[in-house]
CSV table of all heavy atoms in Angstrom, one decimal:
chain,number,residue,atom,x,y,z
A,1,LYS,N,9.5,1.3,-12.0
A,1,LYS,CA,9.6,0.9,-10.6
A,1,LYS,C,8.4,1.4,-9.8
A,1,LYS,O,7.9,0.8,-8.9
A,1,LYS,CB,10.9,1.3,-10.1
A,1,LYS,CG,12.2,0.7,-10.6
A,1,LYS,CD,13.4,1.2,-10.0
A,1,LYS,CE,14.7,0.5,-10.6
A,1,LYS,NZ,15.9,1.0,-9.9
A,2,GLU,N,8.0,2.7,-10.1
A,2,GLU,CA,7.0,3.3,-9.4
A,2,GLU,C,5.6,2.5,-9.5
A,2,GLU,O,4.9,2.3,-8.5
A,2,GLU,CB,6.8,4.7,-9.8
A,2,GLU,CG,7.9,5.7,-9.5
A,2,GLU,CD,9.0,5.6,-10.6
A,2,GLU,OE1,8.9,4.8,-11.5
A,2,GLU,OE2,9.9,6.5,-10.5
A,3,ARG,N,5.3,2.1,-10.8
A,3,ARG,CA,4.1,1.4,-11.0
A,3,ARG,C,4.1,0.0,-10.4
A,3,ARG,O,3.2,-0.4,-9.7
A,3,ARG,CB,3.8,1.3,-12.5
A,3,ARG,CG,2.8,2.3,-13.1
A,3,ARG,CD,1.4,1.9,-12.9
A,3,ARG,NE,1.0,0.8,-13.7
A,3,ARG,CZ,0.8,0.8,-15.0
A,3,ARG,NH1,1.1,2.0,-15.7
A,3,ARG,NH2,0.4,-0.2,-15.7
A,4,GLN,N,5.2,-0.6,-10.5
A,4,GLN,CA,5.4,-2.0,-10.0
A,4,GLN,C,5.3,-1.9,-8.5
A,4,GLN,O,4.6,-2.8,-7.9
A,4,GLN,CB,6.7,-2.6,-10.5
A,4,GLN,CG,6.7,-2.9,-11.9
A,4,GLN,CD,8.0,-3.5,-12.4
A,4,GLN,OE1,9.0,-3.5,-11.6
A,4,GLN,NE2,8.1,-4.0,-13.6
A,5,GLN,N,5.9,-1.0,-7.9
A,5,GLN,CA,5.9,-0.8,-6.4
A,5,GLN,C,4.5,-0.5,-5.9
A,5,GLN,O,4.0,-1.1,-4.9
A,5,GLN,CB,6.9,0.2,-5.9
A,5,GLN,CG,6.9,0.4,-4.4
A,5,GLN,CD,7.4,-0.8,-3.7
A,5,GLN,OE1,8.4,-1.4,-4.0
A,5,GLN,NE2,6.6,-1.3,-2.7
A,6,THR,N,3.8,0.3,-6.6
A,6,THR,CA,2.4,0.7,-6.3
A,6,THR,C,1.5,-0.5,-6.3
A,6,THR,O,0.8,-0.8,-5.3
A,6,THR,CB,1.9,1.8,-7.2
A,6,THR,OG1,2.7,3.0,-7.1
A,6,THR,CG2,0.4,2.1,-6.9
A,7,ASN,N,1.6,-1.3,-7.4
A,7,ASN,CA,0.7,-2.5,-7.5
A,7,ASN,C,1.1,-3.5,-6.5
A,7,ASN,O,0.2,-4.1,-5.9
A,7,ASN,CB,0.8,-3.1,-8.9
A,7,ASN,CG,0.2,-2.2,-10.0
A,7,ASN,OD1,-0.8,-1.5,-9.7
A,7,ASN,ND2,0.6,-2.3,-11.2
A,8,TRP,N,2.4,-3.7,-6.2
A,8,TRP,CA,2.8,-4.6,-5.2
A,8,TRP,C,2.4,-4.3,-3.8
A,8,TRP,O,1.8,-5.1,-3.1
A,8,TRP,CB,4.3,-4.8,-5.3
A,8,TRP,CG,4.9,-5.6,-4.1
A,8,TRP,CD1,5.5,-5.1,-3.0
A,8,TRP,CD2,5.0,-7.0,-4.1
A,8,TRP,NE1,5.8,-6.2,-2.2
A,8,TRP,CE2,5.5,-7.4,-2.8
A,8,TRP,CE3,4.6,-8.1,-4.9
A,8,TRP,CZ2,5.8,-8.7,-2.4
A,8,TRP,CZ3,4.8,-9.4,-4.5
A,8,TRP,CH2,5.4,-9.7,-3.3
A,9,SER,N,2.5,-3.0,-3.5
A,9,SER,CA,2.2,-2.5,-2.1
A,9,SER,C,0.7,-2.6,-1.9
A,9,SER,O,0.2,-3.0,-0.8
A,9,SER,CB,2.6,-1.1,-1.9
A,9,SER,OG,4.1,-1.0,-1.9
A,10,MET,N,-0.1,-2.3,-2.9
A,10,MET,CA,-1.6,-2.4,-2.7
A,10,MET,C,-2.0,-3.8,-2.6
A,10,MET,O,-2.9,-4.1,-1.8
A,10,MET,CB,-2.2,-1.7,-3.9
A,10,MET,CG,-2.0,-0.2,-4.0
A,10,MET,SD,-2.8,0.6,-5.4
A,10,MET,CE,-4.5,0.4,-5.0
A,11,ALA,N,-1.4,-4.7,-3.4
A,11,ALA,CA,-1.8,-6.1,-3.3
A,11,ALA,C,-1.3,-6.7,-1.9
A,11,ALA,O,-2.1,-7.5,-1.3
A,11,ALA,CB,-1.1,-6.9,-4.4
A,12,GLU,N,-0.2,-6.3,-1.5
A,12,GLU,CA,0.3,-6.8,-0.2
A,12,GLU,C,-0.5,-6.3,1.0
A,12,GLU,O,-0.8,-7.0,1.9
A,12,GLU,CB,1.8,-6.4,0.0
A,12,GLU,CG,2.8,-7.3,-0.8
A,12,GLU,CD,2.8,-8.7,-0.3
A,12,GLU,OE1,3.4,-9.0,0.7
A,12,GLU,OE2,2.2,-9.6,-1.0
A,13,SER,N,-0.9,-5.1,0.9
A,13,SER,CA,-1.8,-4.5,1.9
A,13,SER,C,-3.1,-5.2,2.0
A,13,SER,O,-3.5,-5.6,3.1
A,13,SER,CB,-2.0,-3.0,1.6
A,13,SER,OG,-2.9,-2.4,2.6
A,14,GLU,N,-3.7,-5.6,0.9
A,14,GLU,CA,-4.9,-6.4,0.9
A,14,GLU,C,-4.7,-7.7,1.5
A,14,GLU,O,-5.5,-8.3,2.2
A,14,GLU,CB,-5.5,-6.4,-0.5
A,14,GLU,CG,-6.0,-5.1,-1.0
A,14,GLU,CD,-7.2,-4.6,-0.2
A,14,GLU,OE1,-8.0,-5.4,0.3
A,14,GLU,OE2,-7.2,-3.3,0.1
A,15,ARG,N,-3.5,-8.3,1.2
A,15,ARG,CA,-3.2,-9.7,1.7
A,15,ARG,C,-3.1,-9.6,3.2
A,15,ARG,O,-3.6,-10.5,3.9
A,15,ARG,CB,-1.9,-10.2,1.0
A,15,ARG,CG,-1.6,-11.6,1.4
A,15,ARG,CD,-0.4,-12.1,0.7
A,15,ARG,NE,0.9,-11.4,1.1
A,15,ARG,CZ,1.6,-11.8,2.1
A,15,ARG,NH1,1.2,-12.8,2.9
A,15,ARG,NH2,2.7,-11.2,2.4
A,16,TYR,N,-2.4,-8.6,3.7
A,16,TYR,CA,-2.2,-8.5,5.2
A,16,TYR,C,-3.6,-8.2,5.9
A,16,TYR,O,-3.8,-8.8,7.0
A,16,TYR,CB,-1.2,-7.4,5.5
A,16,TYR,CG,0.2,-7.8,5.4
A,16,TYR,CD1,1.1,-7.2,4.5
A,16,TYR,CD2,0.7,-8.9,6.1
A,16,TYR,CE1,2.4,-7.5,4.3
A,16,TYR,CE2,2.0,-9.3,5.9
A,16,TYR,CZ,2.9,-8.6,5.0
A,16,TYR,OH,4.2,-9.0,4.9
A,17,LEU,N,-4.4,-7.5,5.2
A,17,LEU,CA,-5.8,-7.2,5.8
A,17,LEU,C,-6.6,-8.5,5.9
A,17,LEU,O,-7.2,-8.7,6.9
A,17,LEU,CB,-6.5,-6.2,4.9
A,17,LEU,CG,-6.3,-4.7,5.2
A,17,LEU,CD1,-7.1,-3.9,4.2
A,17,LEU,CD2,-6.6,-4.4,6.6
A,18,ARG,N,-6.5,-9.3,4.9
A,18,ARG,CA,-7.2,-10.6,4.9
A,18,ARG,C,-6.7,-11.5,6.0
A,18,ARG,O,-7.4,-12.3,6.6
A,18,ARG,CB,-7.1,-11.3,3.5
A,18,ARG,CG,-7.9,-10.6,2.4
A,18,ARG,CD,-8.1,-11.5,1.2
A,18,ARG,NE,-6.8,-11.8,0.6
A,18,ARG,CZ,-6.2,-11.1,-0.3
A,18,ARG,NH1,-6.8,-10.0,-0.8
A,18,ARG,NH2,-5.1,-11.4,-0.8
A,19,ALA,N,-5.4,-11.3,6.3
A,19,ALA,CA,-4.8,-12.2,7.3
A,19,ALA,C,-5.0,-11.5,8.7
A,19,ALA,O,-4.6,-12.1,9.7
A,19,ALA,CB,-3.3,-12.3,7.1
A,20,GLY,N,-5.6,-10.4,8.8
A,20,GLY,CA,-5.9,-9.7,10.1
A,20,GLY,C,-4.8,-8.9,10.6
A,20,GLY,O,-4.8,-8.6,11.8
A,21,ASP,N,-3.8,-8.6,9.8
A,21,ASP,CA,-2.6,-7.9,10.3
A,21,ASP,C,-2.7,-6.4,9.7
A,21,ASP,O,-2.2,-6.1,8.7
A,21,ASP,CB,-1.3,-8.5,9.7
A,21,ASP,CG,-0.1,-7.9,10.4
A,21,ASP,OD1,-0.1,-6.8,11.0
A,21,ASP,OD2,1.0,-8.6,10.4
A,22,SER,N,-3.5,-5.6,10.5
A,22,SER,CA,-3.7,-4.2,10.0
A,22,SER,C,-2.5,-3.3,10.0
A,22,SER,O,-2.3,-2.4,9.2
A,22,SER,CB,-4.8,-3.6,10.9
A,22,SER,OG,-6.0,-4.3,10.8
A,23,ILE,N,-1.6,-3.6,11.0
A,23,ILE,CA,-0.3,-2.8,11.1
A,23,ILE,C,0.5,-3.0,9.8
A,23,ILE,O,1.0,-2.0,9.2
A,23,ILE,CB,0.4,-3.1,12.3
A,23,ILE,CG1,-0.4,-2.7,13.6
A,23,ILE,CG2,1.8,-2.4,12.3
A,23,ILE,CD1,0.3,-3.0,14.9
A,24,ARG,N,0.7,-4.2,9.4
A,24,ARG,CA,1.5,-4.5,8.2
A,24,ARG,C,0.8,-4.0,7.0
A,24,ARG,O,1.4,-3.5,6.0
A,24,ARG,CB,1.8,-6.0,8.1
A,24,ARG,CG,2.7,-6.6,9.1
A,24,ARG,CD,4.2,-6.0,9.0
A,24,ARG,NE,4.8,-6.3,7.7
A,24,ARG,CZ,5.4,-7.5,7.4
A,24,ARG,NH1,5.5,-8.4,8.4
A,24,ARG,NH2,6.0,-7.7,6.3
A,25,ALA,N,-0.5,-4.1,7.0
A,25,ALA,CA,-1.3,-3.6,5.8
A,25,ALA,C,-1.1,-2.1,5.7
A,25,ALA,O,-0.9,-1.6,4.6
A,25,ALA,CB,-2.8,-3.9,6.0
A,26,LEU,N,-1.1,-1.4,6.8
A,26,LEU,CA,-0.8,0.1,6.8
A,26,LEU,C,0.6,0.4,6.3
A,26,LEU,O,0.8,1.3,5.5
A,26,LEU,CB,-1.1,0.7,8.2
A,26,LEU,CG,-0.9,2.2,8.3
A,26,LEU,CD1,-1.9,2.9,7.3
A,26,LEU,CD2,-1.2,2.7,9.7
A,27,GLU,N,1.5,-0.4,6.8
A,27,GLU,CA,2.9,-0.2,6.4
A,27,GLU,C,3.1,-0.3,4.9
A,27,GLU,O,3.8,0.5,4.3
A,27,GLU,CB,3.8,-1.2,7.1
A,27,GLU,CG,4.0,-0.9,8.6
A,27,GLU,CD,4.8,-2.0,9.3
A,27,GLU,OE1,5.1,-3.0,8.7
A,27,GLU,OE2,5.1,-1.8,10.5
A,28,GLU,N,2.4,-1.3,4.3
A,28,GLU,CA,2.5,-1.4,2.9
A,28,GLU,C,1.9,-0.2,2.1
A,28,GLU,O,2.5,0.2,1.1
A,28,GLU,CB,1.8,-2.7,2.4
A,28,GLU,CG,2.6,-4.0,2.7
A,28,GLU,CD,3.9,-4.1,2.0
A,28,GLU,OE1,4.0,-3.4,0.9
A,28,GLU,OE2,4.8,-4.8,2.4
A,29,LEU,N,0.9,0.3,2.6
A,29,LEU,CA,0.3,1.5,2.0
A,29,LEU,C,1.2,2.7,2.0
A,29,LEU,O,1.2,3.5,1.1
A,29,LEU,CB,-1.0,1.9,2.6
A,29,LEU,CG,-2.2,0.9,2.4
A,29,LEU,CD1,-3.5,1.4,3.1
A,29,LEU,CD2,-2.5,0.7,0.9
A,30,TYR,N,2.1,2.8,3.1
A,30,TYR,CA,3.1,3.8,3.1
A,30,TYR,C,4.3,3.5,2.3
A,30,TYR,O,5.2,4.4,2.2
A,30,TYR,CB,3.4,4.1,4.6
A,30,TYR,CG,2.5,5.0,5.3
A,30,TYR,CD1,1.6,4.6,6.2
A,30,TYR,CD2,2.4,6.4,4.9
A,30,TYR,CE1,0.7,5.4,6.8
A,30,TYR,CE2,1.5,7.3,5.5
A,30,TYR,CZ,0.6,6.8,6.4
A,30,TYR,OH,-0.3,7.6,7.0
A,31,ASN,N,4.4,2.4,1.7
A,31,ASN,CA,5.5,2.0,0.8
A,31,ASN,C,5.1,2.4,-0.7
A,31,ASN,O,6.0,2.3,-1.6
A,31,ASN,CB,5.8,0.5,0.8
A,31,ASN,CG,6.5,0.1,2.1
A,31,ASN,OD1,7.2,0.9,2.7
A,31,ASN,ND2,6.3,-1.1,2.5
A,32,ILE,N,3.9,2.9,-0.9
A,32,ILE,CA,3.5,3.4,-2.2
A,32,ILE,C,4.3,4.7,-2.5
A,32,ILE,O,4.4,5.6,-1.7
A,32,ILE,CB,2.0,3.7,-2.3
A,32,ILE,CG1,1.2,2.4,-2.1
A,32,ILE,CG2,1.6,4.3,-3.6
A,32,ILE,CD1,-0.3,2.5,-2.0
A,33,PRO,N,5.0,4.7,-3.7
A,33,PRO,CA,5.7,5.9,-4.1
A,33,PRO,C,4.9,7.2,-4.1
A,33,PRO,O,3.7,7.2,-4.3
A,33,PRO,CB,6.2,5.6,-5.5
A,33,PRO,CG,6.2,4.1,-5.6
A,33,PRO,CD,5.0,3.7,-4.7
A,34,LYS,N,5.5,8.3,-3.7
A,34,LYS,CA,4.8,9.6,-3.7
A,34,LYS,C,4.1,9.9,-5.0
A,34,LYS,O,3.1,10.6,-5.0
A,34,LYS,CB,5.7,10.7,-3.2
A,34,LYS,CG,6.2,10.6,-1.8
A,34,LYS,CD,7.1,11.8,-1.4
A,34,LYS,CE,7.6,11.7,0.0
A,34,LYS,NZ,8.5,12.8,0.4
A,35,THR,N,4.7,9.5,-6.1
A,35,THR,CA,4.2,9.8,-7.4
A,35,THR,C,2.8,9.2,-7.6
A,35,THR,O,2.0,9.7,-8.4
A,35,THR,CB,5.1,9.2,-8.5
A,35,THR,OG1,5.3,7.8,-8.3
A,35,THR,CG2,6.4,9.9,-8.5
A,36,HIS,N,2.4,8.2,-6.8
A,36,HIS,CA,1.2,7.5,-7.0
A,36,HIS,C,0.3,7.6,-5.8
A,36,HIS,O,-0.8,6.9,-5.7
A,36,HIS,CB,1.4,6.0,-7.3
A,36,HIS,CG,2.0,5.7,-8.7
A,36,HIS,ND1,3.2,6.2,-9.1
A,36,HIS,CD2,1.4,5.1,-9.7
A,36,HIS,CE1,3.3,5.8,-10.4
A,36,HIS,NE2,2.3,5.2,-10.8
A,37,VAL,N,0.6,8.5,-4.8
A,37,VAL,CA,-0.3,8.7,-3.7
A,37,VAL,C,-1.3,9.7,-4.1
A,37,VAL,O,-1.0,10.9,-4.3
A,37,VAL,CB,0.5,9.1,-2.5
A,37,VAL,CG1,-0.4,9.5,-1.3
A,37,VAL,CG2,1.5,8.1,-2.0
A,38,ILE,N,-2.6,9.2,-4.1
A,38,ILE,CA,-3.7,10.1,-4.5
A,38,ILE,C,-4.7,10.1,-3.3
A,38,ILE,O,-4.4,9.5,-2.3
A,38,ILE,CB,-4.4,9.6,-5.8
A,38,ILE,CG1,-4.8,8.2,-5.6
A,38,ILE,CG2,-3.5,9.8,-7.0
A,38,ILE,CD1,-5.5,7.6,-6.8
A,39,ASN,N,-5.7,10.9,-3.5
A,39,ASN,CA,-6.6,11.1,-2.3
A,39,ASN,C,-7.2,9.8,-1.7
A,39,ASN,O,-7.3,9.7,-0.5
A,39,ASN,CB,-7.8,12.0,-2.8
A,39,ASN,CG,-8.3,12.9,-1.7
A,39,ASN,OD1,-7.6,13.4,-0.8
A,39,ASN,ND2,-9.6,13.0,-1.6
A,40,SER,N,-7.6,8.9,-2.6
A,40,SER,CA,-8.1,7.6,-2.1
A,40,SER,C,-7.1,6.8,-1.2
A,40,SER,O,-7.5,6.2,-0.3
A,40,SER,CB,-8.6,6.7,-3.2
A,40,SER,OG,-7.5,6.3,-4.0
A,41,ILE,N,-5.8,6.9,-1.6
A,41,ILE,CA,-4.8,6.3,-0.8
A,41,ILE,C,-4.7,6.9,0.6
A,41,ILE,O,-4.6,6.2,1.6
A,41,ILE,CB,-3.5,6.3,-1.5
A,41,ILE,CG1,-3.6,5.6,-2.9
A,41,ILE,CG2,-2.4,5.6,-0.7
A,41,ILE,CD1,-3.9,4.1,-2.8
A,42,SER,N,-4.7,8.2,0.6
A,42,SER,CA,-4.6,9.0,1.9
A,42,SER,C,-5.8,8.6,2.8
A,42,SER,O,-5.6,8.3,4.0
A,42,SER,CB,-4.6,10.5,1.6
A,42,SER,OG,-3.4,10.9,1.0
A,43,ILE,N,-7.0,8.6,2.2
A,43,ILE,CA,-8.2,8.3,3.0
A,43,ILE,C,-8.1,6.8,3.5
A,43,ILE,O,-8.5,6.5,4.6
A,43,ILE,CB,-9.4,8.6,2.2
A,43,ILE,CG1,-9.6,10.1,2.0
A,43,ILE,CG2,-10.7,8.0,3.0
A,43,ILE,CD1,-10.7,10.5,1.1
A,44,LYS,N,-7.6,5.9,2.6
A,44,LYS,CA,-7.5,4.5,3.0
A,44,LYS,C,-6.6,4.3,4.2
A,44,LYS,O,-6.8,3.6,5.1
A,44,LYS,CB,-7.1,3.7,1.8
A,44,LYS,CG,-7.1,2.2,2.0
A,44,LYS,CD,-6.7,1.5,0.7
A,44,LYS,CE,-6.7,0.0,0.9
A,44,LYS,NZ,-8.1,-0.6,1.0
A,45,ARG,N,-5.4,5.1,4.1
A,45,ARG,CA,-4.5,5.0,5.2
A,45,ARG,C,-5.0,5.5,6.5
A,45,ARG,O,-4.8,4.9,7.6
A,45,ARG,CB,-3.2,5.7,4.8
A,45,ARG,CG,-2.5,5.0,3.6
A,45,ARG,CD,-1.1,5.5,3.4
A,45,ARG,NE,-0.9,6.9,3.0
A,45,ARG,CZ,0.1,7.3,2.2
A,45,ARG,NH1,1.0,6.4,1.7
A,45,ARG,NH2,0.2,8.6,2.0
A,46,ILE,N,-5.8,6.6,6.4
A,46,ILE,CA,-6.4,7.2,7.6
A,46,ILE,C,-7.4,6.3,8.2
A,46,ILE,O,-7.4,6.0,9.4
A,46,ILE,CB,-7.0,8.6,7.3
A,46,ILE,CG1,-5.9,9.6,7.0
A,46,ILE,CG2,-7.9,9.1,8.4
A,46,ILE,CD1,-6.4,10.9,6.5
């Protein structure tokens, strides 16, 4: 579930970014499980 959620959230975040919805894109990045939150994810969210 963790890997699937991570891949889904990252893909959805990119989709919202392409659509110009930065708020939803950020929300999706915060849906990534803690097990898969690494430095690049933190910086991307910031």
Side-chain angles (χ1 to χ4, degrees):
K1 292 182 180 179
E2 292 87 351
R3 261 278 288 289
Q4 291 179 350
Q5 180 62 51
T6 297
N7 287 336
W8 171 261
S9 295
M10 292 179 70
E12 284 294 281
S13 179
E14 291 300 320
R15 184 174 70 83
Y16 282 121
L17 273 179
R18 290 193 297 271
D21 192 339
S22 297
I23 294 178
R24 291 293 299 275
L26 181 61
E27 290 174 351
E28 284 296 338
L29 290 180
Y30 276 107
N31 287 333
I32 294 174
K34 291 182 179 180
T35 55
H36 286 65
V37 174
I38 55 179
N39 209 40
S40 64
I41 300 298
S42 292
I43 294 173
K44 187 177 181 67
R45 295 195 295 211
I46 289 172

